[in-house]
Amino acid sequence: MKWTTLLLTLSLLLGLGACTQETQNKIGREINNWTGVSGVLEVYAGEKVVRRFIKVDKISTAAGTANGTERPYRFGYGILDANLNGVADSDEKKVYFEFSDYSTNYIFFENPA
């Protein structure tokens, strides 16, 4: 049993090593989509944070249902951090959000905490 697991792991590592960097990045994103990320989305007005969403799994690019082309906005679900303290307080709920690719100043990052 141990040898089969070792051989399978070795095969996967060798296979992944043969992939291009773009393919490796795509695989990494797919794993993150499956396992989730504790992401933070901060929206800025000038230098000031005006909205923060925490515990965001992922941000998706909208696509048209009829033609499948990408639309100029992104969307996701996260907890609206209304008081901007970086903590999901009991009165803060999970919400749906959208923002424009063109006019919104934002940063999305994985929460290091």
Side-chain angles (χ1 to χ4, degrees), residues 27-38:
I27 291 169
R29 286 190 303 273
E30 289 173 358
I31 290 170
N32 279 346
N33 286 345
W34 183 60
T35 60
V37 172
S38 181

Side-chain angles (χ1 to χ4, degrees), residues 38-50:
S38 181
V40 177
L41 173 70
E42 293 181 338
V43 180
Y44 290 83
E47 295 180 9
K48 182 179 180 183
V49 176
V50 293

Side-chain angles (χ1 to χ4, degrees), residues 30-103:
E30 289 173 358
I31 290 170
N32 279 346
N33 286 345
W34 183 60
T35 60
V37 172
S38 181
V40 177
L41 173 70
E42 293 181 338
V43 180
Y44 290 83
E47 295 180 9
K48 182 179 180 183
V49 176
V50 293
R51 290 281 184 271
R52 179 180 291 137
F53 299 91
I54 57 179
K55 297 188 178 183
V56 178
D57 283 337
K58 65 179 179 176
I59 295 177
S60 299
T61 301
T65 52
N67 58 12
T69 59
E70 290 187 356
R71 298 203 174 159
Y73 69 93
R74 297 184 184 274
F75 67 93
Y77 291 89
I79 296 174
L80 175 60
D81 184 14
N83 58 9
L84 302 174
N85 69 351
V87 177
D89 298 317
S90 62
D91 61 334
E92 296 172 335
K93 304 298 179 206
K94 191 171 190 174
V95 297
Y96 171 83
F97 58 82
E98 295 179 359
F99 57 96
S100 169
D101 278 352
Y102 301 126
S103 61

